[in-house]
Amino acid sequence: MRLLVVEDEAKLSQYLHKGLSENGHVVDVARDGIEGRRLATGGDYDLVLLDLQLPGVDGFGVLAALRAQSRYTPVLMLTARDKVEDRVRGLEQGADDYLVKPFAFSELLARVGALLRRGAPTSAGANSTQLRLADLDVDLLARKATRAQQRLDLTVKEFNLLTLLLRRRGQILSRTTLAEQVWEMNFDSDTNVVEVAVRRLRAKLDDPYTAKLLHTVRGMGYVLEERA
Ligand code: CA
């Protein structure tokens, strides 16, 4: 398997290169975020091991560039112990798993193995990573949404918003709920950001199609459902 290690700490990146190579993988190493982003988006890797605190572009920037592509590459984040919010943010932006430094190499190998076995998502099977409503399909692993087989070009937040609405289809979700769950904002924050995002999502999700799925319930919030 081809792996990319994006890690600026020399000792750790050498250690990962050596250990993973000894376990039969072909390993490239990027020592800063710019190189990491270039290799991650240009190379054909089976897995990316991604440090978050990097010079140049940080790990989130690398992740965003990678997830902006249609091709799915699993990402294992390497994070500092005290950076819980980084892990949450990384997972929210589409990382698949994380390891807290310092980690045992055996644990790293186990996580890498699990992600490689899981591999790229397939369309087969009705597993929980595939959500569907009418002609809307969402693939959570590939972070891909389609309507009538047409790919919807969504931002990370729009995708997360759609996923939440789709998981709770038929339920009215208030702006406050959406702000808390998608943006991790407090209830007293300005929920205008939700309205703007809903408008943008609707333009992509519903405007080109006759059957509307995302509905506003005045004074209450939004609901995703099929209406006759
Ligand atoms: Ca670092």
Side-chain angles (χ1 to χ4, degrees):
M1 292 291 191
R2 288 197 66 200
L3 310 184
L4 173 64
V5 172
V6 187
E7 171 60 69
D8 60 312
E9 289 163 50
K11 270 179 78 176
L12 181 55
S13 61
Q14 283 162 16
Y15 170 72
L16 291 173
H17 182 271
K18 181 166 183 285
L20 292 166
S21 299
E22 284 171 1
N23 277 273
H25 300 294
V26 177
V27 184
D28 290 336
V29 173
R31 297 282 302 280
D32 62 62
I34 294 168
E35 176 78 349
R37 185 174 58 187
R38 189 180 66 77
L39 289 176
T41 56
D44 190 19
Y45 294 102
D46 298 297
L47 177 71
V48 175
L49 285 82
L50 181 64
D51 180 29
L52 291 179
Q53 284 155 327
L54 296 163
V57 174
D58 69 9
F60 298 111
V62 176
L63 185 57
L66 196 55
R67 287 295 173 257
Q69 296 187 313
S70 54
R71 193 164 48 84
Y72 172 82
T73 308
V75 172
L76 176 62
M77 295 184 285
L78 308 175
T79 74
R81 183 177 299 279
D82 57 345
K83 299 285 183 181
V84 177
E85 60 285 350
D86 279 3
R87 299 201 278 280
V88 171
R89 187 176 159 202
L91 291 170
E92 189 186 65
Q93 291 189 5
D96 297 273
D97 200 358
Y98 65 87
L99 263 181
V100 176
K101 297 179 194 178
F103 45 80
F105 192 74
S106 56
E107 185 178 9
L108 174 82
L109 270 188
R111 301 281 175 109
V112 165
L115 287 173
L116 290 174
R117 274 195 303 280
R118 197 165 94 187
T122 63
S123 55
N127 59 51
S128 61
T129 64
Q130 313 268 341
L131 301 174
R132 164 169 270 201
L133 174 67
D135 59 357
L136 168 67
D137 285 288
V138 171
D139 184 326
L140 297 176
L141 281 181
R143 295 188 68 81
K144 189 175 122 183
T146 60
R147 255 203 97 169
Q149 273 96 54
Q150 296 294 308
R151 173 99 188 227
L152 305 177
D153 183 22
L154 304 178
T155 65
V156 170
K157 292 296 183 196
E158 288 162 359
F159 183 87
N160 292 346
L161 178 62
L162 176 62
T163 302
L164 179 61
L165 285 160
L166 188 52
R167 280 195 163 127
R168 295 169 68 178
R169 70 190 68 178
Q171 295 176 32
I172 299 167
L173 300 182
S174 69
R175 288 177 185 81
T176 304
T177 299
L178 296 173
E180 283 172 357
Q181 300 212 7
V182 178
W183 284 266
E184 294 169 53
M185 297 191 314
N186 297 325
F187 61 88
D188 55 352
S189 302
D190 178 11
T191 51
N192 185 46
V193 65
V194 177
E195 287 169 49
V196 172
V198 165
R199 202 179 310 140
R200 293 205 177 123
L201 174 60
R202 180 175 274 149
K204 297 171 183 177
L205 174 73
D206 274 347
D207 285 2
Y209 304 95
T210 313
K212 309 304 180 194
L213 297 176
L214 178 53
H215 308 278
T216 302
V217 183
R218 197 171 295 276
M220 296 185 72
Y222 305 98
V223 59
L224 195 75
E225 65 185 2
E226 198 177 4
R227 290 183 179 172

